[in-house]
Amino acid sequence: MRRLAARGAAGDASGVAAPAADRPDRARSPSRRRLIDLYALGDPGVSLPSSDRCTASAGVARRRLNEAEKLSSVQETQVEQLKAARPRGLGHEERGLVLRMARLQPPPWVHTAFLLCILGLVGAIEIPMDLTQPPTITKQSVKDHIVDPRDNILIECEAKGNPAPSFHWTRNSRFFNIAKDPRVSMRRRSGTLVIDFRSGGRPEEYEGEYQCFARNKFGTALSNRIRLQVSKSPLWPKENLDPVVVQEGAPLTLQCNPPPGLPSPVIFWMSSSMEPITQDKRVSQGHNGDLYFSNVMLQDMQTDYSCNARFHFTHTIQQKNPFTLKVLTNHPYNDSSLGNHPDMYSARGVAERTPSFMYPQGTSSSQMVLRGMDLLLECIASGVPTPDIAWYKKGGDLPSDKAKLENFNKALRITNVSEEDSGEYFCLASNKMGSIRHTISVRVKAAPYWLDEPQNLVLAPGEDGRLVCRANGNPKPTVQWMVNGEPLQSAPPNPNREVAGDTIIFRDTQISSRAVYQCNTSNEHGYLLANAFVSVLDVPPRMLSPRNQLIRVILYNRTRLDCPFFGSPIPTLRWFKNGQGSNLDGGNYHVYENGSLEIKMIRKEDQGIYTCVATNILGKAENQVRLEVKDPTRIYRMPEDQVAKKGTTVQLECRVKHDPSLKLTVSWLKDEEPLYIGNRMKKEEDSLTIFGVAERDQGSYTCVASTELDQDLAKAYLTVLGRPDRPRDLELTDLAERSVRLTWIPGDDNNSPITDYVVQFEEDQFQPGVWHDHSKFPGSVNSAVLQLSPYVNYQFRVIAINEVGSSHPSLPSERYRTSGAPPESNPADVKGEGTRKNNMEITWTPMNATSAFGPNLRYIVKWRRRETRDAWNNVTVWGSRYVVGQTPVYVPYEIRVQAENDFGKAPEPETVIGYSGEDFPSAPRRFRVRQPNLETIHLEWDHPEHPNGILIGYTLRYVPFNGTKLGKQMVENFSPNQTKFTVQRADPVSRYRFTLSARTQVGSGEAVTEESPAPPNEAYTNNQADIATQGWFIGLMCAIALLVLILLIVCFIKRSRGGKYPVREKKDVPLGPEDPKEEDGSFDYSDEDNKPLQGSQTSLDGTIKQQESDDSLVDYGEGGEGQFNEDGSFIGQYTVKKDKDETEGNESSEATSPVNAIYSLA
């Protein structure tokens, strides 16, 4: 954070005048005091007389001095108070305040400017225009007046006086009769000449030296002698230029010799196709317009060279016929890979030589320059290699504040030359072969310049006075006095006037002494002419400023209250405050000779009404000024220096305290220029925010808090961390067969140190235009040795890296090609894989440009069956793949791929195992399904007998089913090593159908299908127990038992009658629920018994709905051969038939069939 010392611009010192409340008629136009303030602030719409300009300039200087000195006094007081309060030393905050006060000390120029203007105000006297006075020149053309021949000629001359002056002109020291020339006229109420060429005429006819005379009855004032010249842009003479023949390495000068123009034209060199000639330390243009070659190279023939002259007034460019070069060389091939290589001269057979000067000639020369002009010294040298130029001053250092090197150090410019810059300068031209020196003796001369310029003199009758005209120059100028445009020696004698060299003394002046005196001081380099009138007046005092002004000032400022007045004799002026009788002078007050009252440090009690009274022997005049004291504007929270990365957001604070009666304006400057608030910036009352910081945002930011009376400034510097600039000037040196040294000049790091450099290369054979990383180096180096591969046409570029990011790549270097060799390696990533079941595709990564090592790169591909050890098959391939056909399914092969170019073969490659194409695998073997309980099902299988490739897994699809009803199909994928799986049953009734297949890259092979076993019919048994507890079921069972008993009785009766039946006799064993049980008490269910009945479904209460007549009783009737006799077998067959008939009649019944229930009990 930086705090600026400059405070107070718009009226700090002398205030801003405002009309009093009782004078509203003057509110619409600014007062003279206000005009002076506006002029001091640089308002382009304000124009003042020369005297008021001095007043305005003095006002600016006074304000700055007042503010700085006020701050100085206040700071001294505050520091003393702090020291008194802290006898042991100042604390941290107090020390900060003292340091800030030290930064606010006024610069020395403020005191100087203030004192000079105060002196000017004392000596300069302005006579009000309503009083009679001699003429004064107010405006005139420059001494050397160059005009455009296409425009009318205007020669300015304006003057003031009372009565208004008349004008006439001389041309070449003779009276210029304007009335006789119809083209010449004079502007009304002015002496300005207008020469009109619209009706014809040649402007050149009016060239010459003009002088304007402004005259009234009190005297004559003169303008400078104005030399009128018409601008000229002559055509270039046509000429045929022969080709310039020069030996390579020799120096060459192409002369321009432009036609003489007025003013001199601007010279530049281009080709005939209007392309600018590239200039560097080897080829450059001199100040005289010639083009100098320190040494000629073969590449200089690639263009021609034409000198161009641009003329200022006509805005035209003339082109000289172009030069063409013919360079004789011992090495006709223009090898661009050498570029600016330091050894390019020896490589091309150019002899190296010591420097010699092309301009200026010899070892010494001299140059004269006028004081205040620019000094330009130039040294252009030839030599091989191109010499470097350095500048020195004998017996001292170059003036660093105004010396600047130009044209690749070949020119030294010193601005605003003074006598101290005279002496001996020398330039040193050197290369590795030696050095040479040229000495230039500089002499500083001077046209006349003022020491004391004569000022207007106003005297009362009988008063004494003097006019002083002092000037200096080299050589010493002479002084000539004139009166009313005539030499003083030719004027009528005046006993009250005495001439003493550069001074005219007036004693007991009378009215007859009124005149305008001219002082002309001249030497061989120029002249100065000044007018000063002597006016003899008898005038009572009068006030020149508006009455009852309001002056607002800032607390603690050094303030000056002006009270401009006039009178002759010169009145005395006194100041009073609030009507008090004592004169204000001394202490905090000081009255200057011009009547201004200075208050050294404004306090609150200084507010009030001040009266100035001017008195001479003819009377007195007075005026009043009302003074208001305002609090100062201060920035109490200042912006801080910040460091930000590109793209981030930055906020600069600026909080201000000010007098509430004044309007505050906060604005921002960037690098001392007004800041444009764009879309990325947001200005608030107390801060400035920058979004998405860019590199162009770096710089100093100044917060300007201002009111109409004062301002405060605080500065902070924003540092933007950006990506580095690209490296430049890449150069290849130490050229070897397999290495080269690359050197570059680092770009600007943009406030973030460079951490790394990445060197990239590009080759134009395999991948032209594609850049590859070559190597990486630390950010501290700018030169590196690069290892190279054979037979590569290299081109390099460098990228700089810092914390923010990477730079743009540098411009590419010259190309450098290495020689060829056999490959040293073979292609990588060799693979053999089948794309079909009867082939094998051999692929590899092709070798790049840095591993090819030679032209016509190709590959020798070999293969054979692994287990057979047959002879190798081979083929030469230029691509990166080869397909072997008619191969068995998935068998291993040995593969070799060897690189070869025109220089030979690479070493023997390694053997790689590849496989021919895969096919679908066979089905998994021994697929087994087990159901250990009602909750889980276990699956197991073995790998396929013929995998036909690499197994990548198994796919299992299974679906639950219950009769004809299918559930949602599930899919599981297993790894190739998994051969077991467990399924969690969703319900205890449904069965599952499983389909299993193996997979290779080709796809899924043959599938095998199995179903899960039927679960134990627990649901059916539970249904029996539930039915048996029902009353209707018990009654039904009793009826059936009765019916069976009746049938048995009928059978016994028939048997007793001797009835025969087509069955064997069996032991009559009654049926009971306990009969099917085994000895261990468990039931024996067959596979068929466990299957759900076709078409049956589970009811809401858990019973099984019977849909068809087929059931397990049929099996009971047919499968009980070991348990029933012949009669029992007959009964079983009969029962089955009967049961079937009855069941068919009850298919639609929801209840369980009684007949089925009987058979269930049997």
Side-chain angles (χ1 to χ4, degrees):
M1 184 275 299
R2 300 168 178 81
R3 187 69 177 256
L4 301 186
R7 295 179 183 269
D12 270 8
S14 56
V16 177
D22 57 344
R23 299 294 296 274
D25 53 319
R26 292 183 178 260
R28 295 193 183 119
S29 59
S31 65
R32 181 172 176 273
R33 175 73 261 162
R34 178 59 175 164
L35 288 175
I36 292 175
D37 282 341
L38 292 174
Y39 180 86
L41 291 172
D43 192 325
V46 177
S47 177
L48 294 175
S50 57
S51 58
D52 283 349
R53 292 174 197 163
C54 182
T55 305
S57 301
V60 173
R62 282 193 304 271
R63 291 178 187 124
R64 293 177 178 171
L65 178 63
N66 290 347
E67 175 67 15
E69 291 186 356
K70 180 272 299 183
L71 289 173
S72 178
S73 0
V74 173
Q75 290 155 10
E76 290 175 2
T77 304
Q78 291 176 345
V79 170
E80 292 303 324
Q81 291 173 352
L82 288 172
K83 288 181 179 179
R86 295 284 185 93
R88 296 184 181 181
L90 300 179
H92 175 75
E93 294 182 0
E94 291 85 352
R95 284 197 298 270
L97 176 61
V98 172
L99 291 175
R100 194 178 311 124
M101 291 174 178
R103 288 197 295 269
L104 294 174
Q105 295 300 319
W109 69 266
V110 174
H111 296 278
T112 304
F114 177 74
L115 293 175
L116 288 176
C117 286
I118 289 296
L119 292 174
L121 287 172
V122 171
I125 299 177
E126 286 293 319
I127 302 177
M129 286 305 299
D130 61 336
L131 299 179
T132 59
Q133 56 186 289
T136 302
I137 299 292
T138 58
K139 188 175 184 181
Q140 56 185 318
S141 294
V142 294
K143 293 179 181 179
D144 291 316
H145 188 33
I146 301 175
V147 296
D148 191 335
R150 299 169 299 179
D151 298 333
N152 293 334
I153 295 177
L154 202 70
I155 310 177
E156 291 184 312
C157 178
E158 296 182 6
K160 67 177 182 176
N162 189 4
S166 60
F167 298 88
H168 73 271
W169 287 82
T170 62
R171 179 186 176 196
N172 299 328
S173 302
R174 300 180 63 181
F175 176 72
F176 184 37
N177 193 344
I178 297 173
K180 289 185 177 181
D181 194 332
R183 296 191 185 94
V184 182
S185 62
M186 190 182 299
R187 287 182 176 174
R188 188 165 176 261
R189 296 181 182 176
S190 169
T192 299
L193 288 182
V194 178
I195 307 176
D196 193 343
F197 296 102
R198 286 178 295 183
S199 58
R202 297 179 64 251
E204 291 79 3
E205 297 176 355
Y206 293 89
E207 289 185 325
E209 187 177 80
Y210 292 79
Q211 190 168 26
C212 174
F213 293 75
R215 174 178 296 166
N216 68 10
K217 64 179 181 178
F218 301 114
T220 303
L222 279 63
S223 72
N224 289 323
R225 296 187 298 274
I226 301 169
R227 185 184 177 193
L228 178 67
Q229 295 175 285
V230 178
S231 173
K232 297 177 178 61
S233 54
L235 296 177
W236 222 309
K238 295 294 182 182
E239 54 183 340
N240 294 323
L241 301 175
D242 295 329
V244 179
V245 181
V246 62
Q247 183 70 37
E248 186 175 17
L252 175 65
T253 302
L254 298 181
Q255 293 184 346
C256 180
N257 295 327
L262 186 68
S264 298
V266 177
I267 305 300
F268 57 96
W269 286 81
M270 302 185 77
S271 67
S272 57
S273 59
M274 302 306 291
E275 293 291 332
I277 300 300
T278 302
Q279 299 188 27
D280 51 26
K281 73 174 186 177
R282 185 178 69 87
V283 181
S284 64
Q285 175 185 321
H287 183 63
N288 60 1
D290 294 346
L291 189 65
Y292 293 90
F293 295 76
S294 294
N295 51 76
V296 175
M297 299 300 296
L298 186 63
Q299 66 199 44
D300 296 330
M301 288 198 309
Q302 297 176 356
T303 184
D304 55 10
Y305 302 85
S306 177
C307 183
N308 296 260
R310 185 175 67 244
F311 294 91
H312 171 68
F313 280 92
T314 59
H315 303 289
T316 58
I317 296 177
Q318 296 187 29
Q319 188 177 51
K320 186 175 182 177
N321 285 345
F323 293 95
T324 57
L325 300 186
K326 182 178 180 181
V327 181
L328 305 179
T329 179
N330 298 324
H331 196 302
Y333 175 63
N334 187 15
D335 190 354
S336 62
S337 65
L338 294 174
N340 293 322
H341 192 279
D343 298 328
M344 64 180 177
Y345 299 102
S346 58
R348 298 190 54 79
V350 177
E352 297 178 337
R353 53 187 173 82
T354 57
S356 62
F357 283 108
M358 304 174 70
Y359 179 88
Q361 301 287 334
T363 59
S364 64
S365 60
S366 63
Q367 193 166 331
M368 189 272 291
V369 63
L370 291 179
R371 178 181 183 270
M373 306 297 287
D374 285 359
L375 170 65
L376 183 66
L377 305 178
E378 193 170 34
C379 281
I380 301 176
S382 65
V384 178
T386 303
D388 294 313
I389 306 295
W391 289 89
Y392 305 92
K393 184 179 181 182
K394 187 176 181 179
D397 297 329
L398 297 175
S400 58
D401 55 336
K402 54 183 182 178
K404 182 174 64 172
L405 295 176
E406 298 177 352
N407 196 19
F408 308 99
N409 290 358
K410 299 178 185 179
L412 171 65
R413 182 182 296 274
I414 300 177
T415 59
N416 192 22
V417 170
S418 60
E419 286 79 1
E420 300 84 43
D421 297 319
S422 60
E424 290 189 354
Y425 296 78
F426 65 90
C427 57
L428 185 69
S430 59
N431 63 11
K432 67 179 184 179
M433 301 300 296
S435 62
I436 188 173
R437 185 168 78 170
H438 183 94
T439 302
I440 305 174
S441 178
V442 175
R443 293 174 294 114
V444 178
K445 299 292 185 178
Y449 57 92
W450 290 117
L451 298 178
D452 283 317
E453 184 178 2
Q455 303 291 334
N456 294 334
L457 186 60
V458 178
L459 300 173
E463 283 189 321
D464 298 339
R466 66 177 57 199
L467 292 177
V468 180
C469 177
R470 292 194 181 99
N472 198 6
N474 188 6
K476 181 74 174 178
T478 60
V479 175
Q480 178 189 14
W481 283 102
M482 293 183 290
V483 58
N484 296 327
E486 300 293 335
L488 193 60
Q489 297 83 350
S490 305
N494 186 345
N496 306 104
R497 179 180 64 207
E498 179 184 350
V499 178
D502 56 10
T503 303
I504 300 179
I505 302 172
F506 298 94
R507 294 186 178 91
D508 191 20
T509 308
Q510 301 302 317
I511 298 296
S512 59
S513 299
R514 291 183 294 188
V516 181
Y517 289 82
Q518 288 83 33
C519 175
N520 184 59
T521 175
S522 62
N523 64 12
E524 61 188 79
H525 302 298
Y527 74 93
L528 293 174
L529 177 66
N531 291 278
F533 65 70
V534 175
S535 182
V536 181
L537 295 173
D538 215 0
V539 179
R542 62 164 64 183
M543 295 296 172
L544 302 181
S545 62
R547 302 183 66 82
N548 301 322
Q549 292 185 87
L550 170 63
I551 305 296
R552 297 179 297 175
V553 296
I554 297 299
L555 185 67
Y556 303 128
N557 269 8
R558 178 191 290 258
T559 302
R560 187 171 64 90
L561 303 181
D562 287 331
C563 182
F565 64 94
F566 182 77
S568 182
I570 297 176
T572 58
L573 189 76
R574 294 182 300 167
W575 284 89
F576 305 93
K577 180 185 176 186
N578 296 330
Q580 296 177 358
S582 60
N583 182 30
L584 297 177
D585 198 4
N588 198 34
Y589 302 99
H590 177 69
V591 179
Y592 288 96
E593 290 185 17
N594 68 344
S596 297
L597 173 66
E598 181 186 65
I599 306 176
K600 297 178 181 178
M601 188 174 71
I602 287 289
R603 300 159 297 185
K604 286 289 187 181
E605 53 268 26
D606 292 323
Q607 185 167 284
I609 296 176
Y610 290 79
T611 303
C612 60
V613 179
T615 307
N616 68 7
I617 60 175
L618 301 178
K620 71 174 183 177
E622 67 177 44
N623 198 358
Q624 288 186 342
V625 177
R626 184 157 60 94
L627 182 67
E628 289 185 358
V629 180
K630 303 295 183 182
D631 291 329
T633 302
R634 293 293 178 263
I635 299 175
Y636 67 91
R637 181 167 295 179
M638 309 167 196
E640 301 286 341
D641 291 346
Q642 296 196 37
V643 177
K645 286 186 178 180
K646 184 178 177 181
T648 58
T649 299
V650 170
Q651 186 177 61
L652 301 172
E653 280 192 308
C654 183
R655 299 191 179 182
V656 184
K657 292 172 61 178
H658 71 290
D659 193 294
S661 65
L662 302 177
K663 181 181 179 181
L664 175 68
T665 301
V666 178
S667 59
W668 289 85
L669 307 177
K670 181 180 183 295
D671 298 330
E672 314 307 329
E673 297 293 334
L675 175 65
Y676 169 72
I677 306 296
N679 295 332
R680 296 184 304 105
M681 296 186 183
K682 182 180 180 181
K683 176 179 170 292
E684 296 178 317
E685 184 178 345
D686 56 0
S687 66
L688 173 68
T689 304
I690 306 175
F691 302 97
V693 170
E695 293 176 3
R696 63 179 179 273
D697 296 323
Q698 178 169 303
S700 64
Y701 289 80
T702 305
C703 176
V704 182
S706 58
T707 65
E708 56 265 43
L709 297 184
D710 70 337
Q711 67 178 17
D712 195 10
L713 308 110
K715 179 185 290 186
Y717 196 88
L718 173 61
T719 302
V720 178
L721 304 180
R723 298 187 303 171
D725 292 344
R726 68 174 68 186
R728 57 186 176 86
D729 297 345
L730 272 63
E731 188 175 33
L732 298 179
T733 58
D734 303 341
L735 306 177
E737 189 172 343
R738 294 292 180 266
S739 68
V740 68
R741 176 175 289 277
L742 176 65
T743 305
W744 62 90
I745 297 178
D748 191 341
D749 62 9
N750 289 323
N751 309 306
S752 179
I754 297 174
T755 57
D756 298 288
Y757 288 103
V758 175
V759 177
Q760 296 182 327
F761 74 93
E762 179 260 354
E763 52 82 27
D764 58 0
Q765 183 178 358
F766 288 84
Q767 292 179 297
V770 178
W771 291 88
H772 309 274
D773 287 348
H774 183 282
S775 47
K776 191 174 185 178
F777 300 98
S780 58
V781 305
N782 69 325
S783 181
V785 176
L786 308 179
Q787 301 302 318
L788 308 180
S789 298
Y791 200 71
V792 178
N793 193 17
Y794 282 100
Q795 190 176 36
F796 299 99
R797 70 182 186 184
V798 182
I799 298 174
I801 302 174
N802 64 9
E803 183 183 352
V804 180
S806 301
S807 71
H808 292 294
S810 69
L811 297 178
S813 69
E814 309 89 8
R815 287 197 177 273
Y816 179 68
R817 181 183 290 279
T818 54
S819 58
E824 294 181 358
S825 61
N826 288 299
D829 298 330
V830 177
K831 298 177 183 177
E833 297 176 345
T835 58
R836 296 181 181 178
K837 65 181 180 180
N838 60 348
N839 76 357
M840 178 178 64
E841 182 180 55
I842 302 174
T843 61
W844 58 91
T845 300
M847 300 170 66
N848 57 28
T850 58
S851 56
F853 286 19
N856 200 18
L857 179 67
R858 52 204 180 266
Y859 305 95
I860 302 173
V861 182
K862 300 179 181 180
W863 74 95
R864 69 180 180 184
R865 288 276 297 269
R866 183 180 184 183
E867 63 274 7
T868 61
R869 297 294 177 179
D870 293 338
W872 288 93
N873 301 287
N874 67 82
V875 67
T876 300
V877 178
W878 275 262
S880 60
R881 62 186 292 271
Y882 180 74
V883 178
V884 179
Q886 303 302 318
T887 61
V889 174
Y890 198 68
V891 295
Y893 281 84
E894 294 179 336
I895 302 170
R896 295 178 181 176
V897 179
Q898 184 180 25
E900 182 183 25
N901 63 22
D902 287 354
F903 290 94
K905 295 181 180 179
E908 280 295 321
E910 296 181 355
T911 300
V912 176
I913 304 301
Y915 286 84
S916 58
E918 301 182 10
D919 201 357
F920 296 104
S922 61
R925 295 179 298 165
R926 301 184 59 197
F927 185 31
R928 304 177 294 281
V929 179
R930 294 188 305 107
Q931 181 175 299
N933 52 51
L934 295 178
E935 287 79 19
T936 58
I937 300 175
H938 293 314
L939 308 178
E940 294 185 18
W941 62 90
D942 294 340
H943 296 301
E945 182 177 2
H946 301 290
N948 292 334
I950 299 177
L951 288 180
I952 61 172
Y954 294 92
T955 300
L956 174 67
R957 292 179 172 84
Y958 60 97
V959 59
F961 66 92
N962 192 346
T964 59
K965 184 177 180 181
L966 299 178
K968 180 181 179 181
Q969 176 176 282
M970 310 294 287
V971 179
E972 297 285 349
N973 290 311
F974 309 117
S975 67
N977 297 325
Q978 184 173 347
T979 57
K980 295 181 180 180
F981 184 65
T982 300
V983 177
Q984 300 294 326
R985 293 173 60 93
D987 61 76
V989 176
S990 301
R991 297 178 61 195
Y992 288 84
R993 183 176 295 113
F994 300 96
T995 302
L996 180 67
S997 61
R999 300 192 316 273
T1000 62
Q1001 295 287 354
V1002 179
S1004 297
E1006 181 183 352
V1008 58
T1009 302
E1010 292 290 341
E1011 293 183 355
S1012 64
N1017 202 349
E1018 295 180 1
Y1020 189 73
T1021 304
N1022 293 337
N1023 190 43
Q1024 285 183 323
D1026 293 338
I1027 296 174
T1029 59
Q1030 301 296 320
W1032 64 268
F1033 182 77
I1034 296 173
L1036 180 61
M1037 291 299 103
C1038 292
I1040 293 173
L1042 180 60
L1043 179 58
V1044 172
L1045 181 59
I1046 293 172
L1047 291 175
L1048 290 176
I1049 293 173
V1050 171
C1051 289
F1052 281 116
I1053 292 173
K1054 287 185 177 183
R1055 185 175 182 181
S1056 63
R1057 292 179 181 177
K1060 295 182 179 180
Y1061 299 89
V1063 293
R1064 293 177 300 171
E1065 288 185 351
K1066 295 284 182 177
K1067 182 181 178 182
D1068 187 14
V1069 180
L1071 296 174
E1074 68 280 356
D1075 289 343
K1077 294 183 181 179
E1078 297 290 338
E1079 291 180 357
D1080 58 356
S1082 63
F1083 289 96
D1084 183 20
Y1085 293 98
S1086 68
D1087 244 5
E1088 294 297 328
D1089 292 335
N1090 288 332
K1091 293 181 180 180
L1093 299 178
Q1094 178 107 13
S1096 66
Q1097 59 183 0
T1098 305
S1099 64
L1100 293 175
D1101 58 359
T1103 60
I1104 304 297
K1105 297 179 182 180
Q1106 189 65 33
Q1107 307 255 347
E1108 295 181 359
S1109 61
D1110 295 337
D1111 57 25
S1112 61
L1113 291 179
V1114 177
D1115 297 327
Y1116 288 135
E1118 295 177 354
E1121 294 178 357
Q1123 299 180 17
F1124 297 94
N1125 56 18
E1126 192 173 43
D1127 294 338
S1129 179
F1130 167 79
I1131 294 171
Q1133 292 177 9
Y1134 175 81
T1135 306
V1136 169
K1137 188 176 188 316
K1138 181 179 178 181
D1139 177 50
K1140 186 174 182 180
D1141 293 339
E1142 291 177 0
T1143 304
E1144 288 175 354
N1146 294 304
E1147 283 180 355
S1148 61
S1149 174
E1150 290 295 327
T1152 304
S1153 170
V1155 178
N1156 287 340
I1158 294 173
Y1159 286 110
S1160 297
L1161 295 175

